[in-house]
Amino acid sequence: METGPTGGALGGDHASAVSVSVSQWTFEISRRYQHVLDKTVPHIAGRWMGCLALMVIYAVRVYLVQGFYIITYGLGIYLLNLLMGFLSPQVDPEMEDGPSLPTRASDEFRPFVRRLPEFKFWYSIMKAFSIAFVMTFFSVFDVPVFWPVLLFYWFTLFILTMKRQILHMIKYKYVPFSFGKQRYDGKKASSKESTNLPRD
């Protein structure tokens, strides 16, 4: 009679010990995964080359299987949504809730802060293609559709969305890329430049 509660207590202790060890194991795995991700942050070109390789692998898989067009369409819509976040400023100028973007050359320099940072943009694309690639191995996701209609609809949606985004860029005079922009490199002004500076 006395062994029942003791056995139950031992079973409870064993279950709690197993749950603790599982949680420690998952924490360690997630910590190591985050460490690997953190090490990839400065390697922009390498990350995007890996992303391009994954895109090619997915495209070859869909081409060889000749199916899973609905997954590809959904992936395309998701990528378009990510692209809009990548090209948009963190604070929408139409809301005027924060610092405004410079509109004249004499305005104070304010760096363009994206709504979706480059690393999160890359990471979301990698996750999306990985999930879509795994889904191509399950026939339940291979819904028969006439893919040219989906392709035409996606291109129409892409053109309309990009047109609206470009008009937004023109209206508020911002460029989401840093190519060709003036950068401060930390060098002191030369003696010739310092003589031309206004004195107090």
Side-chain angles (χ1 to χ4, degrees), residues 5-196:
T6 308
L10 287 175
D13 289 344
H14 179 68
S16 65
V18 167
S19 67
V20 167
S21 66
V22 166
S23 65
Q24 287 176 345
W25 181 75
T26 54
F27 174 75
E28 184 64 25
I29 293 293
S30 65
R31 191 179 65 81
R32 290 188 181 186
Y33 178 69
Q34 187 61 46
H35 177 69
V36 170
L37 276 181
D38 292 343
K39 287 179 76 172
T40 64
V41 170
H43 307 290
I44 297 172
R47 283 192 283 112
W48 284 103
M49 291 299 289
C51 186
L52 183 63
L54 183 60
M55 290 178 183
V56 169
I57 290 169
Y58 176 79
V60 168
R61 167 76 180 157
V62 169
Y63 176 76
L64 292 177
V65 175
Q66 293 292 311
F68 300 99
Y69 301 120
I70 199 76
I71 291 175
T72 306
Y73 174 72
L75 180 63
I77 296 293
Y78 180 68
L79 294 179
L80 184 60
N81 185 34
L82 290 177
L83 181 64
M84 290 302 103
F86 182 70
L87 296 177
S88 301
Q90 187 176 32
V91 178
D92 193 347
E94 288 180 351
M95 302 300 175
E96 298 179 355
D97 283 10
S100 60
L101 295 167
T103 55
R104 296 184 302 274
S106 61
D107 283 356
E108 178 187 352
F109 172 73
R110 296 182 190 95
F112 181 81
V113 180
R114 301 178 190 282
R115 192 172 68 204
L116 182 66
E118 181 269 335
F119 182 80
K120 289 185 178 179
F121 181 53
W122 167 81
Y123 185 61
S124 299
I125 290 174
M126 290 292 285
K127 280 199 304 186
F129 269 97
S130 300
I131 292 169
F133 183 74
V134 170
M135 289 173 75
T136 60
F137 290 95
F138 298 96
S139 59
V140 69
F141 298 114
D142 191 11
V143 179
V145 290
F146 187 58
W147 67 267
V149 173
L150 289 180
L151 186 64
F152 173 75
Y153 183 66
W154 186 85
F155 271 116
T156 304
L157 192 62
F158 177 80
I159 290 167
L160 293 175
T161 308
M162 286 305 296
K163 179 183 175 185
R164 189 181 70 210
Q165 184 68 29
I166 290 169
L167 290 174
H168 192 268
M169 290 179 196
I170 292 169
K171 181 178 179 181
Y172 293 102
K173 298 181 175 70
Y174 68 91
V175 179
F177 302 106
S178 58
F179 305 121
K181 288 186 180 178
Q182 192 175 22
R183 298 179 69 177
Y184 174 72
D185 56 3
K187 294 180 182 175
K188 292 183 179 179
S190 65
S191 58
K192 185 178 180 182
E193 291 172 349
S194 61
T195 56
N196 297 331

